[in-house]
Amino acid sequence: MTRIAIVGGGIAGLSAAYALEKQRRAGSRLEFIVFESGPRFGGVVQTERVGDFVIEAGPDSFLTEKSWGIDLCRELGLGDQLIASNDSQRKTYILVNGRLVPLPDGLMFMVPTNLRAAFFSPLFPWPTKLRMVREWFYRPMPDAPEATVAEFVERHYGKTMVERLAGPLVTGVYGGSAEELSASAVLPRFTEIEAKQGSLGRAMVAARKLRTDAARPIFTSLKLGMQQIIDALVNQIPGGVRRLNTKVESVRPESGKWLVRSDERTEEFDAVIIAAPAFSSAELLRNVIPDISTELQQISYTSSVTVALAYDERVRRALSSGFGFLVPDREGKRMLACTFVHQKFPHRVPEEKALLRCFLGGSRDETILQLSDQEIEQVAQAELRQILGITARPLFVKIYRWPKAMAQYEVGHKARVEKIRQVVSGMRGLALAGNAYNGIGIPDCVRSGSEAASKLLSEG
């Protein structure tokens, strides 16, 4: 009988547990235990219902093009619960000099593929528009040194593109800074294009012409919230192997086994999957693999706060169409972004109501977590009044804090992860999983957990 410990009950750890449970049901002689230090499984994936409102405390969806998320949902019997973002309302705004300016049609991340729309957009000054034309003649750079996102975008489109578009987009997704995150880790598709083809715009236009899935929505979610994935995974895992409020204090190899200590109790396992944040994994491996522990400690994290505010029909009628807006750093706001949930996912909000989700924190404002809930609510309402003109009191407010939740893929990240992978792959009975390595989204974490389970199963 093979015994495997899974340290961490977020989406990656649960995906690993589910993969092991499928093998156990298929006849493999194995058992496993999932250790979760907190009171609930799912990590940042959490949904709360308030009346007919469905409120996401963490991520509200996942990228459709990354199939691991949809495939898992279908396998769990959630295929009929999958919903798409309301792409007929897919318009995003950027706050520029206190005014919301819509992104022009044809943008693929920060790459303009519709030059006519970009030229007529007030988002870009004329020097940036001229850079867009010149970028079509950009030559391949196969030996370009690793660059930050800011450096990468600036050499193609100039500094204004970084400030008004790439920076806010990166902050909205990663909670980090374009001046610190690695382009090759965060934008691998674009850095590959630069190396082989040169121009991003020319390559993306060509790729768009070849697409056969143009009607596919960008985002996919679930009718009753992302919590459905967590609940379905937990329901697949036997209750006797699920341990909440159980912090793993140490793991160490001994005589071909792994000794896992938790709650002053030591248990013996044949293998361990550590599906915890990099800083927690570093502490667990400090006396086991010191070099890898040091590498893991170098992976930094940012914190965030999500504020959900519900309003009545008057606010709903007054709001512009679209998914929401992003706030560049130079605007001097604490808010990073805001989603109009009632337009992005109308299924989650009563027809006559509005629901806004505001995001604060990230690398530019870690101190936000030091504020009280009342102070955070005041910040959110004050900035919504300044940006959207909302003076009405919300029907209710929900605040969710996520300390050190988002891994930052800074310059050197890919090399660091490759070093970690090489050492761990050669160490029997150990696997790592989570958002610290090869992707922060839900599909990436699902894949990470499944691959960790596969590594240990392949070792026999």
Side-chain angles (χ1 to χ4, degrees):
M1 178 71 70
T2 300
R3 300 191 74 229
I4 299 175
I6 301 173
V7 182
I11 184 70
L14 292 177
S15 296
Y18 175 58
L20 294 177
E21 175 62 14
K22 287 191 294 182
Q23 291 298 312
R24 189 190 69 81
R25 293 179 184 177
S28 296
R29 289 179 50 79
L30 64 86
E31 61 181 40
F32 59 90
I33 293 176
V34 184
F35 297 88
E36 167 55 45
S37 61
R40 56 175 291 276
F41 290 109
V44 299
V45 182
Q46 181 180 352
T47 305
E48 182 176 358
R49 292 191 70 96
V50 178
D52 292 330
F53 289 86
V54 177
I55 303 170
E56 298 290 9
D60 67 356
S61 57
F62 52 85
L63 287 174
T64 304
E65 69 176 13
K66 294 189 175 184
S67 62
W68 310 292
I70 288 179
D71 291 346
L72 175 63
C73 289
R74 289 174 175 158
E75 192 173 321
L76 291 169
L78 298 175
D80 63 341
Q81 297 294 300
L82 292 168
I83 59 173
S85 51
N86 180 28
D87 284 6
S88 64
Q89 293 284 325
R90 195 178 76 206
K91 182 185 291 184
T92 300
Y93 301 87
I94 302 289
L95 188 68
V96 179
N97 299 324
R99 185 169 63 94
L100 291 179
V101 178
L103 294 181
D105 292 338
L107 277 180
M108 300 185 75
F109 192 66
M110 81 295 174
V111 178
T113 62
N114 183 334
L115 289 181
R116 178 181 174 82
F119 265 55
F120 282 97
S121 171
L123 182 61
F124 307 117
W126 276 107
T128 303
K129 294 172 182 179
L130 294 176
R131 288 288 295 265
M132 293 176 187
V133 175
R134 194 172 74 183
E135 201 277 339
W136 274 61
F137 303 95
Y138 200 95
R139 298 179 66 82
M141 293 185 64
D143 301 316
E146 185 176 11
T148 65
V149 171
E151 292 168 340
F152 177 82
V153 174
E154 185 171 349
R155 70 186 179 219
H156 281 265
Y157 296 110
K159 189 173 183 178
T160 300
M161 183 70 89
V162 177
E163 294 174 346
R164 293 193 179 181
L165 189 53
L169 284 169
V170 166
T171 299
V173 175
Y174 287 87
S177 167
E179 283 73 26
E180 295 176 351
L181 297 182
S182 164
S184 60
V186 173
L187 307 173
R189 183 182 183 187
F190 290 149
T191 55
E192 290 171 7
I193 288 173
E194 181 191 63
K196 297 177 182 178
Q197 298 171 258
S199 168
L200 306 177
R202 193 173 64 246
M204 296 308 289
V205 168
R208 190 176 62 177
K209 291 178 179 178
L210 296 175
R211 286 183 62 181
T212 58
D213 59 350
R216 188 171 63 173
I218 293 178
F219 302 107
T220 296
S221 192
L222 292 134
K223 290 179 182 178
L224 302 180
M226 298 297 290
Q227 184 74 37
Q228 284 186 273
I229 303 177
I230 301 303
D231 293 343
L233 283 168
V234 170
N235 288 337
Q236 292 291 322
I237 301 166
V241 305
R242 307 193 308 247
R243 295 188 188 174
L244 291 172
N245 298 307
T246 307
K247 179 178 175 58
V248 171
E249 298 152 9
S250 68
V251 299
R252 59 186 175 89
E254 186 173 295
S255 302
K257 301 288 185 179
W258 286 84
L259 301 183
V260 176
R261 182 173 177 79
S262 63
D263 290 347
E264 299 183 353
R265 172 187 177 190
T266 300
E267 298 174 80
E268 186 178 272
F269 293 89
D270 297 287
V272 177
I273 295 173
I274 302 179
F279 51 87
S280 298
S281 303
E283 184 61 27
L284 290 174
L285 295 175
R286 183 162 53 90
N287 296 321
V288 180
I289 321 175
D291 289 347
I292 294 306
S293 176
T294 300
E295 296 293 340
L296 289 167
Q297 287 174 334
Q298 298 303 310
I299 300 175
S300 63
Y301 279 72
T302 59
S303 305
S304 65
V305 174
T306 304
V307 185
L309 305 98
Y311 292 96
D312 61 19
E313 60 182 336
R314 290 172 298 172
V315 171
R316 178 167 178 149
R317 287 198 306 267
L319 289 173
S320 302
S321 62
F323 281 5
F325 61 86
L326 299 167
V327 183
D329 188 18
R330 67 183 305 168
E331 292 295 313
K333 306 295 185 188
R334 301 194 80 166
M335 192 177 300
L336 306 178
C338 176
T339 299
F340 303 162
V341 180
H342 56 283
Q343 292 177 164
K344 185 178 181 181
F345 290 112
H347 326 71
R348 295 179 172 172
V349 183
E351 287 187 11
E352 71 280 9
K353 300 294 190 297
L355 180 64
L356 306 184
R357 282 209 318 157
C358 304
F359 305 91
L360 302 94
S363 61
R364 80 185 192 202
D365 191 11
E366 288 284 348
T367 61
I368 193 73
L369 269 74
Q370 299 172 13
L371 302 185
S372 67
D373 282 1
Q374 183 180 9
E375 290 171 324
I376 290 173
E377 180 179 338
Q378 290 172 350
V379 169
Q381 289 193 56
E383 295 196 354
L384 287 176
R385 182 167 58 251
Q386 296 163 7
I387 298 169
L388 299 174
I390 296 176
T391 57
R393 291 187 61 82
L395 302 175
F396 64 82
V397 178
K398 291 288 182 178
I399 296 174
Y400 307 93
R401 299 165 182 265
W402 301 112
K404 299 184 72 174
M406 189 71 74
Q408 299 297 288
Y409 294 2
E410 298 174 351
V411 171
H413 181 79
K414 291 183 74 173
R416 177 173 295 116
V417 169
E418 178 59 22
K419 179 178 179 180
I420 293 170
R421 187 197 66 78
Q422 288 181 356
V423 173
V424 173
S425 65
M427 192 161 190
R428 185 176 179 82
L430 177 65
L432 302 179
N435 74 1
Y437 309 106
N438 294 303
I440 63 168
I442 285 176
D444 301 300
C445 291
V446 168
R447 178 182 62 165
S448 176
S450 298
E451 289 180 348
S454 296
K455 174 190 184 293
L456 299 187
L457 289 171
S458 69
E459 294 175 350

